[in-house]
Amino acid sequence: MSRFIVFTLFILLQACSFSDPNSYEESDINREELQQLLVEWETKKEQIDHLNTIEADLLMLIQALAVQVDVDKLPKKLQSDPKVVSYGSTEQVSTTANQNLNETTNTESPIHGVKIGSYLVERGVRAQLGRLKNRYPNLYTMLRYKMNTQSSASKTLYSLVAGPLQTEQEASKLCQVFELIYSHCETTEFKGVDL
C-alpha cells in the first residue's frame, strides 16, 4: 500500500512540474502515460493481493514450525543444510512378512496421526515421503511415518500417515501445518506399515 502512495505522489509531483503553458504537449503525453500506468496498476493489483496472501500464509507456516522446533536442541547434523538423497529400487526391497509383523505388533491403544496423502500405488507414498524429507528435513525427523492400506472392491489406496500424537488436538494442530504445505490433511489413527 505504501508503494501505491509513493507512486501516486511521484505522479502528482511530475504533473505539477509541467504547469508551464509552453509544455502543454509534453503534459498531454504525460497524461497518456499516466493513464497507461493506471490501467497497468489495475491489472496487476489482483496479482499483488494474491502475493500478499501467499506471503501471509508462508509467515504463518514459518511461525507454526518455529514453535514446534527448537533449533538449538537439534543434533548438529540436522542444523546444517539438508542433503539431497536419491531413492533407488534397492530401498523398496523388503519382505511382506516383516511388514505384516510390524502391523500385528502395534496392537496398543489408538494413537493419533495425520493422513497427508492417498495414492493409488505404494510408490506414490514413498515418493511423497522422499519429497517431505528433502524439503522439510526438520519436520521429517520430528515424526514417524506409516503406510496405511485401504482396499475396496474396485481399488486399493495407500495413505501416508504421520505421527504418533497423544491427543486429537495435537493431530488437528499438526494437520493445520500440513494443510499449508500440501493443501489436504485429515486426522486419523496412527497405524500401518512403518516406513
Side-chain angles (χ1 to χ4, degrees):
M1 191 63 174
S2 63
R3 291 180 184 167
F4 178 72
I5 293 171
V6 171
F7 176 74
T8 305
L9 288 175
F10 175 75
I11 297 300
L12 289 175
L13 287 174
Q14 290 294 330
C16 291
S17 67
F18 290 110
S19 61
D20 184 13
N22 295 334
S23 64
Y24 182 71
E25 291 177 11
E26 291 178 13
S27 160
D28 284 342
I29 293 173
N30 287 333
R31 286 182 187 164
E32 291 172 6
E33 290 175 0
L34 178 62
Q35 289 296 332
Q36 290 175 352
L37 289 173
L38 289 175
V39 168
E40 184 179 341
W41 167 254
E42 289 298 322
T43 59
K44 300 291 182 182
K45 187 176 180 182
E46 288 182 26
Q47 294 174 347
I48 292 171
D49 290 341
H50 180 69
L51 288 175
N52 285 336
T53 304
I54 291 173
E55 182 180 17
D57 290 346
L58 287 174
L59 180 60
M60 186 172 75
L61 174 63
I62 290 169
Q63 290 171 345
L65 289 175
V67 168
Q68 294 181 3
V69 177
D70 187 5
V71 177
D72 296 331
K73 292 184 180 178
L74 288 174
K76 292 290 184 190
K77 66 179 183 179
L78 294 178
Q79 292 179 5
S80 64
D81 292 331
K83 297 177 182 175
V84 177
V85 178
S86 60
Y87 293 91
S89 60
T90 58
E91 181 178 298
Q92 297 178 0
V93 176
S94 63
T95 62
T96 308
N98 287 339
Q99 291 175 351
N100 291 338
L101 180 62
N102 287 337
E103 286 182 333
T104 56
T105 57
N106 294 331
T107 57
E108 303 170 359
S109 63
I111 298 178
H112 301 280
V114 293
K115 180 168 66 169
I116 54 178
S118 295
Y119 306 92
L120 293 174
V121 292
E122 183 179 332
R123 171 178 69 215
V125 172
R126 295 187 187 280
Q128 184 63 30
L129 189 59
R131 285 191 295 272
L132 177 68
K133 184 177 183 179
N134 287 334
R135 290 182 186 158
Y136 307 101
N138 292 338
L139 180 62
Y140 173 81
T141 57
M142 291 184 342
L143 300 167
R144 290 189 359 233
Y145 301 92
K146 292 185 180 258
M147 179 172 51
N148 189 3
T149 306
Q150 300 166 344
S151 297
S152 67
S154 62
K155 63 182 173 181
T156 301
L157 284 178
Y158 301 93
S159 301
L160 178 59
V161 181
L165 302 164
Q166 297 302 316
T167 65
E168 190 163 345
Q169 290 80 14
E170 288 178 354
S172 295
K173 287 179 183 178
L174 181 61
C175 215
Q176 290 175 349
V177 173
F178 276 114
E179 282 177 346
L180 293 172
I181 298 172
Y182 295 115
S183 77
H184 178 72
C185 177
E186 62 184 70
T187 60
T188 187
E189 193 175 332
F190 186 65
K191 65 178 184 178
V193 178
D194 288 328
L195 294 174

